[in-house]
Amino acid sequence: MNLLPTQIIRLKRDGKVLPAPVLRQWIQEYGKGHIPDYQMSAFLMAVCLRGFSSEELHASVEAMIESGVTLHWPKHPRFLVDKHSTGGIGDKTSLILGPIVAAAGLSVPMMSGRGLGHTGGTLDKLESIPGFQTRLELPSFQEQVEKLNIAFIGQTEEICPADRKLYSLRDVTGTVESMNLISGSIMSKKIAEGIQGLVLDVKFGTGAFFKTLEESAELARQLMAIGHQFGKKVVALVTDMNQPLGRFAGNALEVHECIDILTGQVHRNSHQEDSYADTRELSIQLAAQMMNLSGRWGNLAAAEQEARHVLNSGQAYNKFVEICRAQGGDLTRLPRPRHSRIVPVTVDGFITGFDLEAIGYLNVQLGAGRVQLTDVIDPTAGIEFHHKLGHAVRRGEPLMTLYAADEKRLHQVAEKVGACVSYGQQAPPKFSLIRKVMS
Ligand code: URA
């Protein structure tokens, strides 16, 4: 069926289902530069408003995968597994669970992203380690995975180039927030890695792209359905992102936190709780799910026991050091921030909420992320969180510590960030970090 671009746009605008071959060709032609951005923009807006059927979603994912190369791992003896997080504040688990799973004997070809909007990205965190190279050619990437069981890279030109182009266009046309477009974009890249298993960490809350548990569970369902259609084993954890994960948000600061966890250190906050407990626990749970998908440990409890052993025995830390060495990163030169400023608690009471999206954007303003693609990140910029939801606090005690190389930015952000935390006279109800496990 040969349809003109305007016919395709109008069909989608009117909520019709496009035949799979038409949609596949439409996306492939866009990838090749044969469809102008203005027509694809109109189409994407129509998808945002009308959505895709599950057949259309499948066809769009196929088209994005076919626009580039799919990695093959001929005669690879180990189970290939990856993790994807929908992003949040202080979400650094990849740097811990990747080494755990690799040290446990599975292969982890980790293709990660940069900071997006208010959220941080694994690549930016790794690049805060002086010399760490995330731009490996695909043959070197595969060679490292064969040798060390793990490598970290960003999306390359060869993997899903149509998605890359579409994503840039969505970014500037108000069409990022479509659940169908998001799930297709995420899954096409993961499937192109040639993995067998995938664990999804789908976040909800003030620091997530989707704010409610229901929306995030729906996103998880869509992501899983695509994975299953392509024959992948997929598990999704829906996790709470209403408070920062762990102690720090900011690139080198988060690497410091990961090294502390990988080397068995504990940091006590003023309530004598371990500030790393949530980062450590979520990393172990995600790692255990990744390991359990392989079937090698028989069940989840045994996989979790092995994940804890690999972490506690220092094997995961040794793997992290090996990765850094292989990818040129010098951990001895991990930068420390030059300037800091304490932001105090403003009232006596309990911490009842964090506006994490606003805090994430202020972290970007500190230098931890980019406003424009060409911005250079300050690897030392970031925020240390001294409190969790429900903590009883007194006016004047430290709430957060801000870090940056630029004192002026510290000053500007310190003026605003305190207002992103709310207080009440009662502690909010306790909640669990992992709200749902979907398999
Ligand atoms: N991450 C992606 O890779 N794609 C999206 O659309 C959103 C987040």
Side-chain angles (χ1 to χ4, degrees):
M1 181 165 29
N2 260 339
L3 292 173
L4 293 172
T6 45
Q7 287 176 298
I8 292 175
I9 296 165
R10 282 159 57 215
L11 282 170
K12 196 75 276 196
R13 180 198 66 189
D14 297 339
K16 301 286 189 307
V17 174
L18 293 169
V22 170
L23 185 57
R24 267 218 306 276
Q25 194 186 5
W26 169 247
I27 291 173
Q28 277 163 355
E29 291 298 304
Y30 177 69
K32 290 179 197 153
H34 299 162
I35 309 285
D37 283 349
Y38 56 81
Q39 285 181 321
M40 187 50 91
S41 305
F43 176 80
L44 291 170
M45 186 56 81
V47 177
C48 268
L49 300 173
R50 295 295 196 164
F52 274 148
S53 69
S54 65
E55 291 74 23
E56 285 178 311
L57 187 52
H58 184 258
S60 75
V61 173
E62 258 181 352
M64 291 191 284
I65 296 171
E66 284 163 8
S67 72
V69 301
T70 298
L71 294 184
H72 293 284
W73 305 84
K75 302 193 215 95
H76 193 79
R78 293 181 295 266
F79 187 78
L80 288 143
V81 62
D82 196 1
K83 186 250 355 176
H84 178 83
S85 160
T86 56
I89 306 297
D91 180 10
K92 53 195 80 73
T93 61
S94 292
L95 275 59
I96 300 167
L97 62 84
I100 292 178
V101 177
L106 304 184
S107 287
V108 191
M110 271 216 159
M111 209 170 278
S112 306
R114 296 194 179 280
L116 187 67
H118 63 282
T119 68
T122 300
L123 291 186
D124 296 328
K125 297 177 217 268
L126 287 168
E127 286 177 2
S128 73
I129 305 169
F132 199 106
Q133 191 50 255
T134 58
R135 282 171 218 263
L136 304 182
E137 297 293 329
L138 286 180
S140 315
F141 173 62
Q142 291 196 269
E143 208 173 292
Q144 186 177 319
V145 175
E146 303 279 351
K147 215 155 85 193
L148 301 187
N149 290 6
I150 180 165
F152 285 99
I153 55 164
Q155 187 185 357
T156 70
E157 303 286 330
E158 301 103 308
I159 300 278
C160 302
D163 166 69
R164 209 180 157 87
K165 238 182 124 186
L166 283 166
Y167 191 80
S168 308
L169 188 62
R170 287 167 56 210
D171 205 20
V172 291
T173 54
T175 52
V176 168
E177 296 88 352
S178 147
M179 211 177 270
N180 289 153
L181 295 176
I182 290 175
S183 51
S185 166
I186 291 171
M187 291 306 289
S188 58
K189 286 169 286 205
K190 291 296 166 191
I191 292 162
E193 285 176 0
I195 49 175
Q196 293 148 299
L198 177 66
V199 172
L200 298 161
D201 180 3
V202 184
K203 307 225 175 261
F204 75 96
T206 61
F209 284 103
F210 291 100
K211 308 299 180 207
T212 67
L213 178 63
E214 292 70 31
E215 284 174 302
S216 295
E218 174 53 29
L219 176 63
R221 263 189 290 278
Q222 283 194 17
L223 293 164
M224 290 176 72
I226 298 171
H228 292 151
Q229 281 172 343
F230 284 84
K232 309 297 172 194
K233 292 185 175 178
V234 192
V235 169
L237 274 60
V238 182
T239 66
D240 196 300
M241 191 25 82
N242 284 299
Q243 63 181 335
L245 189 67
R247 179 179 169 198
F248 294 111
N251 299 298
L253 290 168
E254 291 188 45
V255 177
H256 281 294
E257 179 171 338
C258 292
I259 292 172
D260 277 356
I261 292 171
L262 287 164
T263 52
Q265 308 208 30
V266 168
H267 176 270
R268 300 261 168 223
N269 60 28
S270 58
H271 288 247
Q272 293 310 305
E273 297 163 351
D274 177 5
S275 318
Y276 300 143
D278 50 357
T279 308
R280 184 189 301 109
E281 205 47 37
L282 184 58
S283 304
I284 290 171
Q285 294 304 324
L286 290 165
Q289 292 285 356
M290 291 166 80
M291 290 158 64
N292 193 39
L293 284 181
S294 72
R296 190 159 131 190
W297 286 272
N299 59 48
L300 183 62
E304 180 184 329
Q305 197 181 3
E306 178 65 7
R308 286 188 195 280
H309 168 70
V310 168
L311 178 64
N312 296 338
S313 62
Q315 293 172 64
Y317 177 65
N318 292 342
K319 183 57 73 178
F320 184 65
V321 171
E322 267 186 277
I323 300 164
C324 290
R325 214 171 276 143
Q327 298 193 226
D330 182 354
L331 282 172
T332 63
R333 292 194 297 123
L334 186 60
R336 295 259 174 203
R338 212 159 347 133
H339 302 290
S340 65
R341 182 151 169 188
I342 292 174
V343 176
V345 168
T346 49
V347 281
D348 292 351
F350 293 91
I351 302 221
T352 55
F354 289 93
D355 181 349
L356 280 190
E357 187 169 330
I359 291 173
Y361 279 118
L362 288 170
N363 206 17
V364 170
Q365 201 179 321
L366 269 180
R370 299 176 191 78
V371 179
Q372 293 180 347
L373 263 182
T374 48
D375 286 350
V376 177
I377 284 184
D378 166 7
T380 67
I383 305 175
E384 177 175 4
F385 298 92
H386 299 294
H387 291 289
K388 294 283 183 195
L389 284 174
H391 274 185
V393 288
R394 302 298 300 256
R395 186 170 174 203
E397 72 170 289
L399 173 66
M400 301 175 199
T401 305
L402 308 182
Y403 298 95
D406 181 337
E407 260 191 307
K408 203 168 113 213
R409 289 182 181 215
L410 270 187
H411 183 72
Q412 288 166 345
V413 172
E415 298 289 299
K416 301 181 211 157
V417 77
C420 302
V421 176
S422 39
Y423 304 91
Q425 288 316 302
Q426 279 188 332
K430 287 221 181 297
F431 58 87
S432 59
L433 175 56
I434 299 173
R435 245 11 125 73
K436 246 179 194 294
V437 177
M438 299 164 67
S439 56

